[in-house]
Amino acid sequence: MEPEKRRVTLADVRGAVEQLGGDPSATNAARVREILGRGGFSTIQRHLEALRDAQKGPVEESPQEAPEAPGELVQGLWAAAWSEASRRQAEALSGALARIDALEAARAVAGADLAAMTERMDTLEAERDAALARAAAAEQAAAEERQAIAGERAALEALLARLEAMMPTDED
């Protein structure tokens, strides 16, 4: 006997899917064809897709405008944003205060260094002034000594000249 040559209908595919567990998404065209014993794969696949689409249900249209946000949601978002802004502000303030403390400490060290260097510079200037005064006194003493030596030399030369004059000459 020859197999029946009638077309596979949506009802035929639905019956085969029920035999396979009832979920069109959990089967395929080859398994449905095994149950039916006839039909083309593309026809069976088309009916399976129709059953899967029907199973999904109608697609709802989305509203054209967004509905107004619930007040509690807005208040919750505002509270979270305010809390985060406060946390960040406190963190920034804490960081700025820490930097101020560090700068104050560095300023105090620099001030102490400046005071020490100023004191050292005053000491060096006093030592320089004393050395310059000693050098000037030494120059004055040397000048006076040169003058005294020059006077003594002139006196010695005069004495020598008188002594030479008193000495008998060979001609005498």
Side-chain angles (χ1 to χ4, degrees):
M1 207 165 165
E2 216 170 269
E4 201 176 303
K5 291 210 175 200
R6 62 184 183 104
R7 290 185 89 48
V8 174
T9 64
L10 182 62
D12 293 333
V13 172
R14 184 177 294 121
V17 167
E18 291 298 320
Q19 288 180 21
L20 291 170
D23 185 3
S25 298
T27 189
N28 60 39
R31 292 185 70 200
V32 170
R33 189 171 190 287
E34 284 177 18
I35 300 273
L36 295 176
R38 63 182 165 68
F41 287 109
S42 62
T43 302
I44 295 171
Q45 185 63 40
R46 188 173 61 245
H47 290 314
L48 273 175
E49 287 174 9
L51 290 174
R52 289 173 185 152
D53 289 344
Q55 186 182 32
K56 290 178 187 174
V59 176
E60 290 185 32
E61 283 191 35
S62 61
Q64 296 299 323
E65 284 187 31
E68 189 173 318
E72 310 86 44
L73 176 64
V74 171
Q75 183 59 38
L77 288 172
W78 177 250
W82 184 264
S83 175
E84 179 63 14
S86 294
R87 183 192 66 76
R88 288 183 183 185
Q89 188 272 339
E91 189 176 276
L93 180 60
S94 175
L97 290 174
R99 286 189 299 277
I100 287 172
D101 290 344
L103 289 172
E104 282 294 324
R107 186 196 56 78
V109 168
D113 288 347
L114 178 62
M117 286 191 289
T118 300
E119 184 179 321
R120 178 69 177 139
M121 191 170 91
D122 289 344
T123 301
L124 291 173
E125 284 178 349
E127 289 174 2
R128 180 204 64 199
D129 291 345
L132 287 174
R134 284 192 308 271
E139 282 182 23
Q140 180 64 33
E144 289 173 2
E145 189 66 29
R146 277 193 303 273
Q147 201 171 16
I149 290 172
E152 287 179 10
R153 181 177 183 167
L156 283 174
E157 286 177 355
L159 181 61
L160 185 60
R162 272 195 328 224
L163 282 175
E164 283 180 355
M166 288 187 193
M167 280 183 81
T169 62
D170 287 336
E171 300 173 9
D172 283 329

